[in-house]
Amino acid sequence: MRAIALGLACLTVSASAAFAAEADEDAPAKPTVPNIYLDLRTSYAMIPAGTLGLGFGTTSLSAALQTLAVRRGTVLPNGLPAAKAIAIDLPLTVDVSDRVSLYGGVSGSTADIGGGWSTFDITSWNIGVQADLYQQNGGRIPTITLQSTLTQSVPNEQGMTNSFNNILEFDYALDEDETRGWLAGMQYTYTTIATPFASIRPNTILYAGGYYQWPSNWKFTGRLGVQSFGGAQLAGRTLAESFTQPVLRLDLDRMDDNDNRLFGITAQIAWTPKPAYQVTLRTPLYAVRN
């Protein structure tokens, strides 16, 4: 309104300039406070014998099972039995901008790896960043996103694990509103164990997929890929065999008009080489939502 008032006072502002100023007035202001929320995720997994919790974005669950396997390795002479696990991730997330998000928090889990369920406890912490290195914005080059997460198991003692997980994803939108498009990417996970008697080799996933968002703001995403794991050893014997097998992930999310996630459910099948199943519920708790 200031620009319009000055124009009326001076009577020298052109009609086109006045209309431009009015359009700027009507444009929504950018939020001054970023989104801040607890990205609560609850996962349940069923894992076959002889392998660990592997797949898309499962570093907290994997860290808990890896550490438990190493600690109990001396009493598992026949290798890892089939396992069931429940994990709750509580990363506090701050969307610094529409391109960068920072997060960090703790994860708790309980697992039955033979002999009954372990006590539910805090089993790891993590910090990470997700950033759009390039945004498509209607162009021909897809959006390029990098996500890096460092996960460390607790307590800090012999047998603890450190996992560094990196995801590089290419998102090619097929319309201006980015409600449908194609995906392609790679996930690479490197894990170290605080003991000279055990080792876990890297895990790599190459994948492709796509997504579609309905006018009701329900969004479906599918990813199909190939996972290659180098295996795990303890005291000269094999804890988990190496393999190269398919992995499938399906996501159904409820978004708001500003593409903030309100609810999500993820189903994953990873052949390791026998099928491992995981279901994850995402129920973000917003302190600030723009």
Side-chain angles (χ1 to χ4, degrees):
M1 296 300 295
R2 184 179 62 182
I4 296 175
L6 288 174
L8 292 174
C10 298
L11 296 178
T12 56
V13 179
S14 66
S16 60
F19 284 130
E22 186 177 355
D24 290 340
E25 290 277 334
D26 293 338
K30 291 184 178 180
T32 58
V33 180
N35 282 347
I36 302 175
Y37 55 99
L38 199 63
D39 193 10
L40 175 62
R41 301 191 296 265
T42 305
S43 302
Y44 175 76
M46 298 178 61
I47 302 165
T51 191
L52 300 166
L54 303 170
F56 285 106
T58 57
T59 54
S60 62
L61 180 60
S62 181
L65 291 175
Q66 290 163 1
T67 303
L68 187 59
V70 170
R71 290 173 181 164
R72 299 192 59 184
T74 56
V75 297
L76 297 173
N78 298 321
L80 295 175
K84 293 178 286 186
I86 298 173
I88 297 178
D89 297 319
L90 298 166
L92 179 64
T93 305
V94 179
D95 294 337
V96 179
S97 68
D98 62 345
R99 301 178 67 117
V100 179
S101 296
L102 304 175
Y103 53 89
V106 297
S107 301
S109 65
T110 176
D112 181 358
I113 199 170
W117 288 89
S118 63
T119 302
F120 186 89
D121 205 352
I122 300 299
T123 48
S124 67
W125 59 264
N126 64 78
I127 56 173
V129 58
Q130 179 173 311
D132 288 345
L133 305 180
Y134 179 85
Q135 290 186 331
Q136 182 179 352
N137 291 330
R140 295 184 178 182
I141 301 176
T143 296
I144 303 173
T145 302
L146 175 65
Q147 181 180 4
S148 296
T149 307
L150 173 64
T151 303
Q152 179 178 300
S153 65
V154 293
N156 189 351
E157 60 184 26
Q158 186 173 6
M160 62 169 279
T161 65
N162 285 290
S163 297
F164 192 44
N165 188 63
N166 292 285
I167 302 173
L168 182 65
E169 185 168 88
F170 300 84
D171 176 351
Y172 186 79
L174 298 175
D175 60 354
E176 184 178 353
D177 293 333
E178 299 182 354
T179 58
R180 53 191 178 92
W182 301 109
L183 299 172
M186 178 185 74
Q187 175 179 300
Y188 179 81
T189 307
Y190 177 77
T191 303
T192 61
I193 303 179
T195 173
F197 306 108
S199 64
I200 297 179
R201 296 190 178 276
N203 185 53
T204 303
I205 300 176
L206 298 175
Y207 65 90
Y211 59 90
Y212 183 84
Q213 184 170 333
W214 286 269
S216 60
N217 285 335
W218 283 98
K219 182 178 182 180
F220 174 79
T221 307
R223 295 174 176 88
L224 177 63
V226 176
Q227 179 173 218
S228 180
F229 175 55
Q233 290 76 37
L234 173 64
R237 62 188 180 89
T238 298
L239 268 180
E241 297 281 356
S242 61
F243 63 83
T244 299
Q245 294 288 340
V247 58
L248 173 66
R249 171 175 163 173
L250 304 175
D251 294 88
L252 182 63
D253 296 295
R254 180 72 165 92
M255 317 296 286
D256 66 11
D257 291 335
N258 295 313
D259 280 340
N260 297 309
R261 180 183 288 105
L262 302 178
F263 169 81
I265 183 169
T266 298
Q268 176 177 271
I269 304 175
W271 285 263
T272 61
K274 293 181 179 180
Y277 304 95
Q278 181 173 323
V279 176
T280 302
L281 295 179
R282 300 186 68 170
T283 50
L285 306 175
Y286 286 89
V288 178
R289 178 162 64 95
N290 296 306

